[in-house]
C-alpha cells in the first residue's frame, strides 16, 4: 500500500532517467545512506566495524568488480583475488617508493595497475569464450600469486614475502580508529558503486550487455568487440584492485600473496551468484550473505542445536557451512539464476500490487 | 487487626524486595568472584590442515583442563575457553580474534594463532588491544627481537634457528663442522613464504662451511615431485632437507623411496615431522628424520596426568584417543604449559588468585624461566626444551631434538641441539631493525624494564 508509484508523474527526461524513478526508493536509499554514515559509526561496536562491516564493504566492492565483468559483460573470471593482490601490492609499492604519494592516489594507482594486468589477461577473451576463458583467468590467478612470491622486489625483500601497510593519512589526518576507517571505506565504496551504476546505465553498459547476450549480434550492430571487452576487463580489475588495496590498508594491515588465493576468487564468485549476476544491489547482498552467514553459524549453530537437544560434534558447524553454501549455490543456479537481487525485485513488484493483485 | 492486614498485604512486597536485594547481592558477588582466565581458541578443526589444528588445540585444552581438574586452575583461577573456526583463512582469523578478544572477565589472556598468515594479520592489532601473541615455531621470525615487538613471542624456536640447528645436526653426524666442506645439501621446499624462510640462513651457513646448497622448489600442494627428484638424482646430494607442508611430505618420502635416496639422509622441518606426514607414506617413511621442539609419546608424567584427570573423567578433547601423545597433540601440551606458567608468574607479581589481563600476562611471558628443575616438577622433563625469555630475546631457547620414524612411531635420536646463535641473532636484529625503521618504532630500552 505504501509502496506504490501512483500519482508520481515524470515531466522531464531527467526525471525519467534518474537511478531511482520511484519516490519511495529514493527515500529508502537516502535513509539507508544516512544510517550508514551517521548512525552506524556511533552505535556499532568495534567488533562489528572491524570484523564485519569493513570487510563487508570491501568484498562488496570486489564483488561489484566481478559483477561488471561477469554479470554485465558476460566474461567469466576466476582471477578476482589475483587482481585484488595486484591492487594491494601496487598500492604498497607506490606508497613505499614514492615518498610524497598521497594514500588515495596510491590506492587509485593500485587500481590502475590491476586494470593494466586485467587488460593483459583479458586479451584471450577476444578469441575464447565461456569455460575456456575461465581457464585463462585462472592462469592469471596463479601467475599473479606466483610472481608476487617469486620476485622479492614486490614485497620489498621481506624474508617471508609479506607486506605491512603503513598509516592511512589523508591531508594530515590519520585514519586510525575502526570508525574512521569504516567511514573512509564507506565513502569510497558508495562513490564507486554510484559510478558503476551510472556506467551500466550508459552506452558502455549497454554495449557490455549486448556482448553478454549475443556477441555476434553485438558485433553486427557495430559494437567494437576489442574495445568493449577490454574495457570491461579494465574497469572490473580496477574495482578489484581498489578493493585489494583497501583490504590491505583498511582491513588486514599485513598481507601475504597466498592470502589472495583461488579460494578467495571462488568466494567472490559465490557472492555474485547468490547475490545476483548482473546487478549492483546483488553484489552487496551477496557479500553481506557470504560474510555474515558463516559468522552467524559459527556463533549460533551450537546454542540453537543445544536448544533443539542435538549435540553437534566439534567442527560440525564449519562443515555445516560448506553444506549449506553448496546447497544454496545449486539452488540459486537452478531456481533463481539472478540471485537475491531478483528475489528482492520480485518482492517489490508484488508489493506494488498488494493487497489487490490482478 | 488493621496492622495485620497491612502486614499481610505488605509481606509479598517485602519478600519481593528482599529477594531482589539478595539477587543483586548474589549477582554482584558472582561478578567479583568470576575467577576465570579466558583463553581464545582461534584454530581449525576442518579443512586440509585439520590434523594440525585439532591436535594442537586438543593438547592445549587438555593440559589446561587437567590443571582445572587437578589443582583448580592456577591458584584457584580456572581456565575457560571458546573455540572459533578460522579454517586457516586470514580474514576468518581476524574475525575470530576480534570476536574473542574481549570475552571473559579480563579479556583474552593471550592468543595462539597457529597460522603464520593469521599471526601477520593480527600483528599490529594485538598490541593495541593489549593481547600478547604466542607464535610457537611459526609466524614472524624477527619478532624474536623483543625490543621491536614487545607483544609478539615466537617462543622456543624460529625457522632460522631450526635451519641452523639442522646444519649443526648434520655436522655432528659427519663428525665436525670441517667435514661439511664439499658436501652437497639440497633444500626441497614448499614454494611459499614459509618455504623461503630458511634460504638466507642456509646460504650463510653454506658460505661459511663450504658445502654446496641447491634450492629446489615444489609448487603447492606438492603432490607431483617427479621433476624435482629427477634433479636430486642427478645432484646426488649427501642430505636432503625437507621443508614441506601437508601432502607434500608423504609425497616426498615416497618419491625418495622410488629414487632410492636413503630416508636416513632426509631431514624434515617440524611441520614435516608428525605422524600425519609419515603414516600416509607407509614403508617409505622408515628411517626418516625430523626436527621438533617437542617429542612424541605418552611416556611422560604430564601426559599420564592428562589421561588420569581428563580422559579418566571423560572430559578429553580428542575424539580419537590414540592421538594423545602424537607430535601435534604434544605440541599443544607445550603451548598449554607455557600459557599456564605465564599466568602463574603474572599472578605472583600482580595478585595471586586473580584473573590476569593480557598486559599482565605479557609481563609474565617476558620473564618466563622454565628450567629443567621446573620441567621436572611439571612432569615434562625432556618433553620440551628449557625456556628462558627476556625482554631482548623473545625466542627463549632455539633448541630442537631430532627424531626418527621407525615405521610405527617417532624415536628420539639426539639431545637438544643448538643453532648457531650469533648468526641467527644477527639476522633477527638486522631484520627487526629494518622493520622498526620502516614503521618508525623506537627500540625499547630493555635495561629499564623491571
Amino acid at each position: 500500500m505504501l509502496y506504490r508509484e501512483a500519482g508520481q508523474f515524470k515531466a522531464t527526461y531527467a526525471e525519467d532517467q534518474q537511478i531511482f524513478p520511484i519516490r519511495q526508493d529514493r527515500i529508502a536509499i537516502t535513509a539507508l545512506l544516512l544510517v550508514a554514515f551517521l548512525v552506524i559509526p556511533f552505535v556499532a561496536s568495534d567488533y562489528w566495524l572491524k570484523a564485519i562491516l569493513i570487510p563487508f564493504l570491501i568484498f562488496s566492492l570486489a564483488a561489484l568488480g566481478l559483477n561488471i565483468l561477469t554479470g554485465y559483460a558476460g566474461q567469466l573470471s576466476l582471477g578476482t583475488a589475483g587482481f585484488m593482490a595486484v591492487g594491494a601490492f601496487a598500492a604498497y609499492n607506490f606508497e613505499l617508493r614514492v615518498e610524497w604519494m598521497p594514500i588515495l592516489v596510491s590506492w587509485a594507482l593500485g587500481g590502475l595497475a590491476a586494470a593494466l594486468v586485467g587488460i593483459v589477461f583479458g586479451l584471450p577473451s577476444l578469441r575464447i569464450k565461456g569455460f575456456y576463458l575461465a581457464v585463462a583467468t585462472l592462469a592469471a590467478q596463479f601467475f599473479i600469486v606466483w610472481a608476487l612470491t617469486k620476485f622479492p622486489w614486490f614485497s620489498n625483500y621481506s624474508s617471508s614475502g609479506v607486506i605491512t601497510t603503513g598509516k592511512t593519512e589523508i591531508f594530515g589526518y590519520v585514519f586510525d580508529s575502526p570508525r574512521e576507517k569504516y567511514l573512509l571505506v564507506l565513502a569510497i565504496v558508495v562513490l564507486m558503486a554510484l559510478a558503476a551504476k551510472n556506467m551500466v546505465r550508459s552506452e558502455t553498459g549497454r554495449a557490455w550487455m549486448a556482448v553478454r547476450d549475443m556477441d555476434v549480434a553485438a558485433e553486427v550492430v557495430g559494437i567494437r568487440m576489442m574495445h568493449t571487452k577490454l574495457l570491461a576487463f579494465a574497469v572490473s580489475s580496477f574495482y578489484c584492485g581498489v578493493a585489494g588495496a583497501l583490504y590491505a590498508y583498511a582491513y588486514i594491515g599485513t598481507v601475504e600473496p597466498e592470502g589472495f588465493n583461488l579460494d578467495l576468487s571462488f568466494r567472490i564468485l559465490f557472492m555474485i551468484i547468490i547475490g545476483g549476476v548482473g546487478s549492483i544491489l546483488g553484489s552487496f547482498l551477496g557479500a553481506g550473505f557470504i560474510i555474515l552467514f558463516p559468522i552467524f553459524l559459527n556463533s549460533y549453530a551450537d546454542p540453537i542445536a543445544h536448544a533443539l537437544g542435538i549435540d553437534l560434534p566439534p567442527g560440525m558447524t564449519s562443515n555445516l557451512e560448506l553444506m549449506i553454501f553448496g546447497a544454496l549455490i545449486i539452488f540459486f543456479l537452478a531456481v533463481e539464476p539472478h540471485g537475491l537481487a531478483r528475489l528482492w525485485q520480485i518482492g517489490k513488484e508484488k508489493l506494488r500490487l498488494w493487497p489487490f493483485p490482478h | 487487626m488493621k496492622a495485620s492486614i497491612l502486614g499481610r498485604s505488605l509481606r509479598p512486597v517485602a519478600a519481593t524486595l528482599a529477594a531482589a536485594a539478595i539477587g543483586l547481592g548474589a549477582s554482584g558477588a558472582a561478578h567479583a568472584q568470576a575467577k576465570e582466565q579466558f583463553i581464545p581458541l582461534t584454530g581449525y578443526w576442518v579443512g586440509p590442515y585439520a590434523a594440525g589444528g585439532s591436535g594442537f588445540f586438543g593438547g592445549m585444552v587438555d593440559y589446561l583442563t587437567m590443571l582445572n581438574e587437578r589443582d583448580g586452575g592456577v591458584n584457584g583461577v580456572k581456565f575457560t575457553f571458546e573455540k572459533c573456526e578460522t579454517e586457516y583463512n586470514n580474514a576468518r582469523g581476524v574475525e575470530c580474534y576480534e570476536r574473542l578478544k574481549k570475552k571473559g572477565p579480563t579479556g583474552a589472556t593471550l592468543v595462539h594463532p597457529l597460522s603464520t598468515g593469521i599471526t601477520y594479520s593480527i600483528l599490529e592489532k594485538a598490541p593495541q588491544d593489549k593481547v600478547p601473541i604466542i607464535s610457537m615455531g611459526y609466524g614472524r621470525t624477527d619478532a624474536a627481537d623483543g625490543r621491536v615487538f614487545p607483544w609478539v613471542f615466537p617462543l622456543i624456536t624460529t625457522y632460522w634457528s631450526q635451519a641452523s640447528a639442522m646444519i649443526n645436526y648434520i655436522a655432528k653426524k659427519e663428525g665436525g663442522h670441517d667435514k661439511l666442506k664439499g658436501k652437497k645439501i639440497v633444500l626441497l621446499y614448499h614454494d611459499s613464504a614459509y618455504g623461503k624462510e630458511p634460504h638466507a640462513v642456509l646460504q650463510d651457513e653454506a658460505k661459511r662451511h663450504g658445502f654446496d646448497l641447491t634450492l629446489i622448489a615444489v609448487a603447492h600442494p606438492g603432490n607431483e615431485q617427479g621433476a624435482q627428484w629427477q634433479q636430486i638424482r642427478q645432484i646426488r646430494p649427501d642430505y636432503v632437507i625437507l621443508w614441506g607442508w601437508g601432502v607434500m611430505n608423504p609425497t616426498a618420502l615416497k618419491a625418495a623411496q622410488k629414487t632410492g635416496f636413503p630416508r636416513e639422509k632426509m631431514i624434515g622441518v617440524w611441520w614435516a615431522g608428525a605422524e600425519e606426514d609419515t603414516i600416509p607414506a607407509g614403508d617409505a617413511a622408515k628411517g626418516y628424520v625430523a626436527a621438533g621442539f617437542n617429542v612424541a609419546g605418552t611416556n611422560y608424567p604430564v601426559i599420564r596426568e592428562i589421561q588420569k584427570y581428563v580422559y579418566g573423567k571423560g572430559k578429553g578433547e580428542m575424539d580419537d584417543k590414540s592421538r594423545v601423545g602424537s607430535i601435534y597433540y604434544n605440541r599443544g601440551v607445550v603451548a598449554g604449559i607455557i600459557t599456564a606458567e605465564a599466568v602463574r608468574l603474572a599472578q605472583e607479581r600482580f595478585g595471586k588468585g586473580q584473573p590476569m589481563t593480557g598486559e599482565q600476562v605479557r609481563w609474565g611471558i617476558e620473564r618466563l624461566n622454565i628450567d629443567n628443575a621446573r620441567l621436572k616438577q611439571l612432569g615434562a622433563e625432556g618433553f620440551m626444551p628449557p625456556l628462558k625469555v627476556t625482554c631482548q630475546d623473545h625466542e627463549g631457547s632455539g633448541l630442537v631434538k631430532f627424531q626418527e620414524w621407525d615405521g610405527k612411531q617417532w624415536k628420539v635420536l639426539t639431545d637438544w641441539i643448538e643453532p648457531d646463535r650469533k648468526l641467527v641473532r644477527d639476522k633477527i636484529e638486522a631484520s627487526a631493525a629494518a622493520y622498526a625503521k620502516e614503521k618508525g618504532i623506537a627500540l625499547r630500552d630493555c635495561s629499564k624494564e623491571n
Side-chain angles (χ1 to χ4, degrees), chain B residues 5 9 23 25 36 70 75 118 137 221 224 244 336 351-352 363 384 418:
Chain B
I5 288 171
S9 62
E36 286 174 352
R70 190 186 65 186
N75 298 322
I118 299 175
E224 177 47 57
K352 270 195 181 174
W363 185 93
M384 61 178 274
E418 294 253 358

Side-chain angles (χ1 to χ4, degrees), chain A residues 46-47 50-52 59 92 96 146 148-152 156 158-162 164-167 176 247 251-259 263 267 294-296 298-299 313-319 321-322, chain B residues 45-47 83-87 89-92 94-102 115-118 120-125 128-129 139-142 160 189 191-194 196-197 317 319 431 435 438-439:
Chain A
D46 273 12
Y47 164 67
K50 259 175 154 170
I52 296 176
F59 283 115
Y92 167 77
L96 179 80
W146 172 82
L148 292 175
T149 321
K150 176 78 184 173
F151 302 108
N156 198 21
S158 143
S159 64
S160 46
V162 302
T164 306
T165 57
K167 273 189 298 215
D176 201 21
Y247 183 83
Y251 178 38
I252 297 265
T254 304
V255 292
E256 50 176 347
E258 276 93 47
D263 245 27
R267 198 171 273 256
I295 296 173
F296 168 79
N298 208 306
S299 310
M316 185 63 193
T317 48
S318 300
N319 287 325
E321 179 193 322
L322 296 177
Chain B
W45 290 266
V46 295
K83 281 184 193 169
C84 185
E85 171 72 46
T86 66
E87 290 177 13
N89 171 323
N90 297 351
R92 291 287 291 275
V94 171
E95 190 271 320
C96 280
Y97 163 79
E98 294 287 344
R99 191 195 310 172
L100 297 179
K101 71 182 185 190
K102 290 267 163 60
S115 144
T116 296
I118 299 175
Y120 273 106
S121 301
I122 63 174
L123 195 76
E124 287 177 26
K125 297 179 166 61
Q128 287 172 7
D129 301 322
R140 193 174 175 121
T141 300
D142 58 7
W160 297 353
Y189 68 97
D191 197 6
S192 65
Y194 151 73
K196 290 165 97 172
E197 280 277 345
E317 268 292 307
D319 290 331
S431 171
Y435 177 84
E438 196 185 313
K439 287 275 162 186

Side-chain angles (χ1 to χ4, degrees), chain B residues 120-370:
Chain B
Y120 273 106
S121 301
I122 63 174
L123 195 76
E124 287 177 26
K125 297 179 166 61
Q128 287 172 7
D129 301 322
K130 305 217 177 301
V131 176
I133 302 175
I134 298 188
S135 58
M136 274 173 30
Y138 55 89
R140 193 174 175 121
T141 300
D142 58 7
D145 190 340
R147 295 169 308 169
V148 180
F149 297 93
W151 290 88
V152 190
F153 296 86
L155 287 181
I156 302 188
T157 172
T158 60
Y159 289 132
W160 297 353
S161 293
Q162 173 172 218
S164 170
M166 282 175 165
I167 299 301
N168 286 349
Y169 166 72
I170 293 173
K172 203 170 163 185
K173 229 177 135 177
E174 292 291 321
H177 280 95
D178 50 321
K179 299 268 169 40
L180 285 175
K181 201 166 178 60
K183 289 268 182 297
K184 289 182 200 154
I185 297 179
V186 164
L187 173 73
L188 187 67
Y189 68 97
H190 189 260
D191 197 6
S192 65
Y194 151 73
K196 290 165 97 172
E197 280 277 345
H199 290 192
V201 169
L202 288 176
Q203 276 157 351
D204 281 10
E205 292 271 15
K207 226 178 279 164
R208 216 169 46 170
H209 299 302
F211 60 83
D212 278 346
L213 177 71
T214 315
L215 307 172
I216 301 180
V218 177
H220 180 80
N223 46 8
E224 177 47 57
Q225 299 177 15
Q228 285 88 349
W229 283 91
Q230 191 73 34
Q231 199 183 342
I232 289 172
R233 187 162 26 191
Q234 281 162 8
I235 297 171
R236 297 176 167 275
D238 296 286
Y239 289 93
V240 170
I241 295 178
L242 176 61
W243 207 279
W245 180 222
V247 70
M248 176 182 159
N249 299 326
T251 310
L253 289 169
K254 280 190 201 151
Q257 186 184 40
K258 227 187 260 168
T259 319
F261 186 82
R263 261 44 49 72
E264 293 76 15
K265 303 264 168 133
M266 274 178 82
I267 302 164
V269 65
W270 57 64
W271 300 118
E275 291 80 356
E276 285 79 2
D277 300 308
T278 49
I279 291 173
D283 257 1
K286 212 166 166 185
Y288 166 61
V289 178
F293 55 85
N294 64 283
V295 296
T298 53
N299 199 15
Y300 292 89
V302 58
I303 302 290
R304 285 199 295 270
E305 295 278 277
I306 290 176
Q307 282 168 334
K308 183 173 155 200
Y309 285 97
V310 181
Y311 286 89
K313 293 181 179 177
K315 290 187 174 172
E317 268 292 307
M318 307 303 295
D319 290 331
D320 177 3
K321 289 192 185 66
S322 68
R323 287 182 67 200
V324 174
S326 69
I327 288 275
Y328 281 130
Y329 181 89
N330 286 6
R331 191 163 296 162
V333 173
V334 171
I337 291 176
I338 287 173
T339 304
E341 288 304 293
V343 169
R344 195 186 306 277
L345 198 61
Q347 281 195 12
E348 275 166 24
R349 167 82 157 73
F350 299 102
K352 270 195 181 174
Q354 296 300 323
M356 293 289 111
T357 63
E359 205 169 2
Q360 291 164 337
V361 172
R362 192 206 74 80
W363 185 93
I365 304 171
E366 196 156 78
R367 282 150 190 85
L368 274 179
N369 185 4
I370 308 178

Side-chain angles (χ1 to χ4, degrees), chain A residues 269-277 282 285-286 289-290 324-344 346:
Chain A
L269 186 64
F270 294 159
M271 284 177 194
I272 70 165
I273 291 176
I274 291 185
V277 180
L285 292 178
F289 187 80
I290 299 259
I324 295 178
F325 271 165
L328 273 176
I329 285 163
I330 293 173
F331 171 82
F332 274 111
L333 284 177
V335 179
E336 188 47 88
H338 295 287
L340 291 172
R342 176 70 187 148
L343 292 181
W344 173 251
I346 293 173

Side-chain angles (χ1 to χ4, degrees), chain B residues 39-51:
Chain B
I39 311 282
L41 305 175
T42 55
Y44 32 98
W45 290 266
V46 295
Y49 311 121

